[in-house]
Amino acid sequence: MKTGIFCNYDNFHQDARRAIFEQVALVKQAESLGFEEAWVSEHHFSESNLSPSMLVLMAHLAGLTSAIQLGTAAVLLPFHNPIRVAEDIATLDNLCNGRLLFGVAKGGPFPQQNKHFATLPSESRPRMLEAIALIQKLLYETDVSFNGRYYQCDRLTIYPKPLQSQIPVYVATGGDDGIELAAKHSFSLMGGPPFSLERLKDTVAKYRALNSSGAENLVLARFFFVGKTYDEAVSEALPFVRKFSQKMKANSAEVLKNSANPNQKPFDRTNICFDEDYLIENSIIGDVETCRDKIKKFQDELNLGTLALKPSSADLQKNLDSLTRYNQEVRNYVF
């Protein structure tokens, strides 16, 4: 199992430059500790998470790091022109000397994103699936012609080409069509902090029924803080978790209220859950022993490829200390 850091560019102190500086400090600390991957999220219209221009931020990280792999977690494909995404991804792979990992998603329960990017929620998944098909052609082929429902091109070749012969692709999905696409192309899977273990196990099982290899590269992101005591860890992470829970429960309620999809899954403990107590219990938050046990459970149930840790204190130094404690007292016990 690899260890990664999950980067939300949290704006804890209402200071954009400070948020960017502190996230860079965490990534550089992770690299110095031997973490293998850093995953950057994409958020829009959020004063809490300052990563709308994810690929710009990753280009910045590419110039400040040398070994850690840099992953998109994830490019929200329905909100982007896939031709431009292909150009940016290929350029970024060259900038980071072939350290790029390419994660994609349709976008979560954020109604403002669909509204302002003029994308119907019902179209998000088919747009994502069509976009990744076109991007893969553009990255590695020449004179590409494509005639999809949403995207088209005629004898198009993009430059530059990626440095890697194949950039690893990761798909954040629980839908059958997304799982089928990932399995067909041996793309890997991703799971976010609120994704329930039941949902993840079901997704991995469906993938493995179609493709016996590839699912072992699952990236699981989890909120994280390892403290000297359990109570200290929960106390330190709780303000972040509580704010996230409140925001996402409001968003998901709006999604359910306005959904025209009869197959819309509920936001509950079998799928994607935003309850505060559930998030604490299913995050890597606690003392050393608790964090070891939680990680071991995820390993046993999912055969993780990467555990991506999202530091959850508002205090930079405490997050740096938590990462160090993980490296010294947790990491070697869970391999």
Side-chain angles (χ1 to χ4, degrees):
M1 185 188 77
K2 297 177 182 178
T3 302
I5 185 168
F6 193 76
C7 309
N8 268 356
Y9 284 79
D10 298 286
N11 191 19
F12 289 122
H13 308 286
Q14 305 306 301
D15 182 334
R17 287 175 60 84
R18 179 175 177 179
I20 293 170
F21 167 80
E22 292 193 348
Q23 187 64 75
V24 169
L26 288 167
V27 171
K28 293 177 76 171
Q29 170 83 338
E31 183 175 54
S32 73
L33 294 172
F35 285 27
E36 291 91 350
E37 299 168 2
W39 293 89
V40 180
S41 63
E42 177 181 335
H43 291 276
H44 297 276
F45 322 124
S46 170
E47 64 179 355
S48 301
N49 304 115
L50 304 182
S51 54
S53 301
M54 175 193 354
L55 300 182
V56 175
L57 295 171
M58 291 179 66
H60 181 226
L61 292 175
L64 297 174
T65 60
S66 59
I68 198 166
Q69 290 185 284
L70 302 174
T72 63
V75 177
L76 305 182
L77 288 179
F79 309 141
H80 299 279
N81 184 307
I83 298 173
R84 187 56 189 267
V85 171
E87 291 180 320
D88 287 347
I89 289 296
T91 302
L92 184 55
D93 192 49
N94 281 274
L95 279 175
C96 69
N97 199 30
R99 290 183 281 138
L100 187 65
L101 307 170
F102 183 33
V104 301
K106 70 176 183 63
F110 296 95
Q112 291 295 308
Q113 294 182 357
N114 288 90
K115 176 182 177 181
H116 293 292
F117 288 119
T119 302
L120 293 173
S122 61
E123 292 185 350
S124 290
R125 193 182 303 279
R127 281 182 177 272
M128 177 192 77
L129 298 175
E130 189 172 298
I132 190 61
L134 174 55
I135 290 167
Q136 287 297 100
K137 286 181 172 293
L138 290 170
L139 288 175
Y140 309 111
E141 299 177 17
T142 58
D143 296 321
V144 173
S145 294
F146 192 90
N147 187 27
R149 177 181 176 187
Y150 304 104
Y151 310 111
Q152 300 82 35
C153 65
D154 180 35
R155 292 166 290 180
L156 177 63
T157 302
I158 67 160
Y159 301 96
K161 292 299 184 183
L163 184 60
Q164 297 179 78
S165 60
Q166 289 285 330
I167 300 173
V169 177
Y170 297 76
V171 185
T173 185
D176 290 347
D177 46 3
I179 296 168
E180 182 178 353
L181 174 91
K184 178 181 177 181
H185 296 280
S186 291
F187 298 157
S188 301
L189 299 170
M190 305 181 73
F195 285 26
S196 73
L197 183 57
E198 183 174 337
R199 171 194 166 112
L200 291 165
K201 287 172 66 175
D202 181 62
T203 298
V204 169
K206 289 179 178 178
Y207 183 108
R208 288 183 175 142
L210 299 168
N211 183 345
S212 60
S213 64
E216 67 274 6
N217 295 322
L218 170 69
V219 174
L220 178 65
R222 279 295 183 261
F223 299 144
F224 162 81
F225 192 87
V226 55
K228 295 178 182 177
T229 68
Y230 179 84
D231 289 343
E232 174 202 342
V234 171
S235 176
E236 198 61 44
L238 187 57
F240 164 79
V241 172
R242 178 164 291 159
K243 185 175 181 180
F244 175 85
S245 171
Q246 292 170 347
K247 177 179 69 175
M248 295 308 299
K249 289 179 86 168
N251 283 350
S252 59
E254 185 176 347
V255 167
L256 290 173
K257 177 182 176 182
N258 297 322
S259 177
N261 179 9
N263 299 316
Q264 172 73 50
K265 294 182 179 179
F267 295 96
D268 62 20
R269 297 177 184 231
T270 68
N271 180 34
I272 300 176
C273 186
F274 303 116
D275 293 346
E276 180 182 303
D277 62 331
Y278 180 88
L279 290 169
I280 291 288
E281 178 61 30
N282 286 273
S283 297
I284 312 302
I285 295 172
D287 56 20
V288 168
E289 292 291 340
T290 300
C291 290
R292 289 176 185 173
D293 291 344
K294 288 184 175 185
I295 294 171
K296 189 67 167 61
K297 179 181 178 181
F298 286 126
Q299 280 184 305
D300 291 344
E301 297 281 0
L302 297 170
N303 189 25
L304 291 180
T306 298
L307 178 63
L309 304 173
K310 162 63 190 77
S312 298
S313 171
D315 185 295
L316 173 61
Q317 189 57 54
K318 289 182 179 179
N319 280 327
L320 294 170
D321 293 343
S322 175
L323 290 173
T324 300
R325 186 172 294 113
Y326 167 85
N327 214 51
Q328 293 175 343
E329 302 183 52
V330 177
R331 191 176 185 184
N332 290 339
Y333 291 85
V334 294
F335 279 83

